[in-house]
Amino acid sequence: MSSRLINWFKFSSPVAFYPLAGRLGAWSGWIAAILIVVGLYMSFFVAPTDYKQGEGYRIIYVHVPAAWMSMFIYVVMAGWAGMGLVFNTRLSSMMASALAPTGALFAFLSLWTGAFWGKPMWGAWWVWDARLTSALILFFLYLGFMALQASIDEPRRADRAGAILALVGVVNVPIIYYSVQWWNTLHQGATIKMGGGASMDPVMLWTMLIMTFGFWAYAIAVAMIRVQAIILERERNTTWVTELVKAGGKA
Amino acid sequence: MREFFAMGGYGLYVWGSFGVALVLMAAEPLLVIHRRRSVWRRLARIVRLQSEETK
Amino acid sequence: MLEVKGLAVERGDRLLFQDLAFELNDGELLHLHGRNGSGKTTLLRMLCGLILPAAGEIRWGGESIRDLGEDFTAHLVYIGHKNGIKGDLTGVENLRISSTLDGFPVSERRAWQALERIGLRGHEDLPTRVLSQGQQRRVALARLLVNNAKLWILDEPFVALDKAAVGLLQAVIREHAAAGGLVILTTHQEVSLTRGAVKQLQLGKTMVAGHA
Amino acid sequence: MLEVKGLAVERGDRLLFQDLAFELNDGELLHLHGRNGSGKTTLLRMLCGLILPAAGEIRWGGESIRDLGEDFTAHLVYIGHKNGIKGDLTGVENLRISSTLDGFPVSERRAWQALERIGLRGHEDLPTRVLSQGQQRRVALARLLVNNAKLWILDEPFVALDKAAVGLLQAVIREHAAAGGLVILTTHQEVSLTRGAVKQLQLGKTMVAGHA
Amino acid sequence: MLEIFFTVLRRDLLLVIRRRSDLFTTLVFFVITVSLFPLGIGPEMDTLRLIAPGVVWVAALLASMLALERLFAADFADGTLEQLLLTPQPLSLLVLGKILAHWMVTGLPLVLMAPILGLQYDLSAEALGMLMLTLLLGTPALSLIGAIGAALTLGLRGGGVLVALLVLPLFVPVLIFGAGAVEATVSGLGAEGHLSLLGAMLVLALLLGPLASAMALRVSME
Amino acid sequence: MLEIFFTVLRRDLLLVIRRRSDLFTTLVFFVITVSLFPLGIGPEMDTLRLIAPGVVWVAALLASMLALERLFAADFADGTLEQLLLTPQPLSLLVLGKILAHWMVTGLPLVLMAPILGLQYDLSAEALGMLMLTLLLGTPALSLIGAIGAALTLGLRGGGVLVALLVLPLFVPVLIFGAGAVEATVSGLGAEGHLSLLGAMLVLALLLGPLASAMALRVSME
Ligand code: HEM
Ligand SMILES: Nc1ncnc2c1ncn2[C@@H]1O[C@H](COP(=O)(O)OP(=O)(O)OP(=O)(O)O)[C@@H](O)[C@H]1O
Ligand SMILES: Nc1ncnc2c1ncn2[C@@H]1O[C@H](COP(=O)(O)OP(=O)(O)OP(=O)(O)O)[C@@H](O)[C@H]1O
Ligand SMILES: [Mg+2]
Ligand SMILES: [Mg+2]
């Protein structure tokens, strides 16, 4: 048991990772469900009304976690993709492909909820300021990554080509993050700064953090299930998959 | 209750955001599970066919 | 010099070959056989480093060609199905540019001589686009005359050539091997070169036969 | 059937040939020789009506092919340096479309059979883009098996084919001639087909020789 | 006869489906061009409404012009065009089939997409209808006229510019009457005159286009 | 090292000279696009002046995007790209040479032509100068970024759309800041902020473009 936990390297092969992914996926699925339900309850019934923006500010509880996740997932995805490119490990590339759609979903949600917030706050659904523009670019980078991989038949070429695109796009992430500081734009600055204290009502802060962790668990759950599907597709000609399927292995 | 849904005049915006977020975040896991299951089924069929062939 | 171990290749769902191994030393010539679609072109491109093998390793002087990178390609000339010449440039221009990039710049005179030797007298300064199939192939092959790379990888070099050119090319290849060079080539044509003291490698014996 | 008189061709500043004349009748095979660049391809394309001669005339059954137009092309299959197949379509699709346009629609089953006969079993429904050089050539040549045009004009049909395919193609050509068809072909390869009772035509004897 | 026409049509559509996204190339170009303008110009609705018909029509013209390159080039490169010339079929019929397939892939999507893009520019329902109608008449004319240019410049050095120079003079009237009809509608005037001229151009193009392209192809293949 | 760079540069320029009109393709497209607008929109100077920076920049972006196709495709088709990969030279250097040649043929002419076209739209001398300057900074960035997309999609089904999808998100900032700088000048505001951003993008593109394209080419040649 203990040797199994220690030997992380072992999990870099799809054979060993497949069952682990199943368990991880299930667990984080439950965690995500619980955290998000709690988070939703708090955002509507516990968190106080904002003195400036009234009830409209509650959008923050999806907008901000979604925006963070969209950036975070991108960095993780690019990391896996880069690892696949350099070390030629199949599993890391599969992880990258598994993360992309979820990242795109969060990027879309940050745009969508941002627009639904912007209309009452700024009076416009959309403006071309630095943060919004770079967030839109992030969304298109996800789409480009997926479209590129989808149009390449040879899986290894798809992995490698996608990795290059993902790595080039990493430049965009710090730009999004710091855009509000570098240019004074319409968009709000970060209320919660890395390392620094928060300038926010603690209940609001906790609600947001709970939602964020819920989204986080959600992303892990979905990515794990997706990576299982990808592993099965890519490794379908190997004996271990055939054996697994023969055994009817529910993993 | 009605007051709650009105969200102090921001109903459209708040529910437009939360609604879309919830719908998409409910749809994605379903789609992914469906994808895994259909891959699994396809492989099971291939394995079955192969074992019949070799028989 | 060139060592291949445990090489395997997948294309689409097909495993073209696996566990392929051979060794080639100075002065040796390897003739790669196999029917259409058996994977000869794929193997040659892999030996050049253009395609990554699914498994196995290719070594040049003991080191993996992936690690060597440009130190390997410096010793290599590859002539494939495609001629790799620009139709808008003349034979001389094509030859001079490609040899400069190969790291062996040649003078204008040298280029004219090489083209004349390969049988393109009077056609050296036409854009290669207007040349006949065989003449275009000759322009591509002229690189062999001005290059002193050690390893030649030739994918059906005799295609489209007339008899005189086939004879000349065989002489050039023999000369190169005699001077200690390594040559790997495929050809479906019967040429005297591939008989005699030549290593042979057959690909894809196990393929489905579909002939009448 | 096919009569050529006083044909001359200029390309660029060069007179490739002039005063060329020959006749070909039912069941005859013409082998066109000549070194690279002597004008074989040019002549064949001219016989198809793709290029207008600078002088001279080409007649089919006594009438000029220019006047006949589509009544001539109906009797003709031309396979040139380029395969004339679409890389994105499968072998079966390519074959069915080209034969429908040629005026001889073939059933799906017939197309599969023809491709199998020419040695593409297991590759019939891959996009031809992924096939090897020789396999692509085979797809093009499969047209000969499903077509009943009388005149076949083949420009280096054996290029890129392996030995089995060369043998098969020779048998197909012999069969066609035996059934009263006309065949004109060029090839630089030594094949048994071009020996024996075959008309020979040599182009460009007068060209400058430039060999080593 | 009809069978041949449909074989060519089906062949070209099949090819597009196989390359999947060829279907979208022209459309994407059109959408991008039309959508970039608000980015470059700024979001004032009044300005945008003013320039909408022009922008959409210019984008459609450019999209059609750029798509021309793909009408014969691929068939030329792989030798299938040569084979088409050697079939015992009337070449202009084959060419008409190719042009129709080409329009269905490059023209029709523009017609269908235009109203959605027009919304960005705040056009009225009536103006949107007129936009679609003019494009429906105009884009086939562009494809038919363009085919002549594409056939003439096949395989020539710098075909791209040459095509542009050859076909633009013939494209511009289509642009002027097309955009004119929409503008007339936007400003509440009748557009019948413009429309009937567009129709006449279409008929003329239908008569001349396939014949002239077929002749041009024979010349270009030498 | 430098000799290799110049060999590639000379080679690509020579090729363009041989095909002569390749030199003009992009330029002609640019000129046509910019000039068609007055035809489609009508001749009111006020409207035109308003939309000028946007139109010119959008046209430049489109022209650059369309030209990308020609960056590697010809070399890929005739097998010379494969040969470039097999030379003992650092691939990113060769790629940089190709990109520079490409920009000199497709980008530089736009920069030089822009002021003349701007005159049509009644722009002030100052605004014209700013237009040239932004294009001079922006178009090389477009070529460098675009090269990555072109290399990644080489030989793929429907490369055209894919390139657009991949590079547009990265092109849009260039467009926004480029057109923004000119607009700021037209309306009498300072353009330094925009310009320094454009400059930063160019530097970043110069660092990343050749490296990433070289890697992408290796992947695409498999
Ligand atoms: C990935 C990029 C984004 C990030 C990281 C992000 C982050 C944030 C954060 C942290 C806040 C809360 C500021 C506060 O403490 O009050 C916020 C507010 C907001 N965001 Fe975003 N956001 C992003 C994208 C967008 C987009 C694309 C839009 C619009 C379409 C948008 C519209 C808004 C609006 C309207 C607010 C409320 C501003 C206010 O309170 O006045 N955001 N965003
Ligand atoms: N995507 C794919 N799907 C299925 N098969 C593929 C795919 N890509 C390549 N192949 C197969 O791989 C083989 C490639 O062979 P290759 O070109 O190396 O052959 P070759 O030995 O050089 O043949 P030739 O003598 O005809 O030149 C072909 O059989 C082809 O059908
Ligand atoms: N524009 C031109 N200027 C000069 N010469 C030209 C021009 N166009 C073609 N030629 C010459 O015409 C000849 C064309 O020959 P063709 O392609 O018919 O030769 P071929 O006999 O088929 O040769 P191969 O055996 O190599 O296929 C070549 O010698 C070529 O150099
Ligand atoms: Mg081969
Ligand atoms: Mg020839």
Side-chain angles (χ1 to χ4, degrees), chain C residues 132-134 160, chain D residues 35-42 44 81 155-156 186 188:
Chain C
S132 82
Q133 202 76 355
Chain D
R35 34 168 300 166
N36 290 142
S38 55
K40 300 180 297 298
T41 299
T42 314
L44 293 186
H81 282 306
D155 198 354
E156 311 227 14
T186 69
H188 293 299

Side-chain angles (χ1 to χ4, degrees), chain C residues 41 81 155-156, chain D residues 133:
Chain C
T41 300
H81 282 307
D155 199 354
E156 311 227 12
Chain D
Q133 201 76 352

Side-chain angles (χ1 to χ4, degrees), chain A residues 153-154, chain C residues 9-17 32-45 51 81 155-156 186-188 203 207, chain D residues 120 122-123 126-138 159-162:
Chain A
D153 297 327
E154 210 88 10
Chain C
V9 164
E10 278 175 37
R11 297 265 101 174
D13 291 344
R14 262 161 250 250
L15 191 69
L16 283 183
F17 50 78
L32 198 59
H33 298 266
R35 31 167 304 164
N36 290 141
S38 54
K40 300 181 296 300
T41 300
T42 313
L43 174 59
L44 294 186
R45 291 171 59 84
I51 301 184
H81 282 307
D155 199 354
E156 311 227 12
T186 69
T187 175
H188 293 299
L203 280 187
M207 271 204 48
Chain D
L120 287 172
H123 299 78
L126 287 177
T128 57
R129 163 173 43 86
V130 308
L131 298 181
S132 82
Q133 201 76 352
Q135 290 171 327
Q136 293 185 11
R137 194 72 182 156
R138 288 173 191 225
V159 154
L161 295 182
D162 61 20

Side-chain angles (χ1 to χ4, degrees), chain D residues 45 48 50-52 70 73-74 76 78 82-86 88-90 93 97 100-103 105 143, chain E residues 3-4 7-8 11 14-15 18-19 74-80 82-84 86-90 221-222:
Chain D
R45 291 172 60 84
C48 295
L50 287 171
I51 301 183
L52 289 185
E70 286 137 21
T73 51
L76 170 77
Y78 168 67
K82 289 179 191 166
N83 288 322
I85 57 174
K86 300 302 290 186
D88 287 319
L89 300 182
T90 67
E93 288 165 344
I97 289 171
T100 307
L101 294 177
D102 280 347
R143 277 175 68 206
Chain E
E3 195 205 329
I4 296 300
T7 306
V8 174
R11 179 193 106 120
L14 188 63
L15 279 171
R18 285 292 150 79
R19 317 216 104 223
D75 285 358
F76 180 66
D78 63 17
T80 45
E82 176 171 288
Q83 294 293 348
L84 284 183
L86 294 178
T87 57
Q89 316 296 347
M221 285 305 293
E222 275 233 351

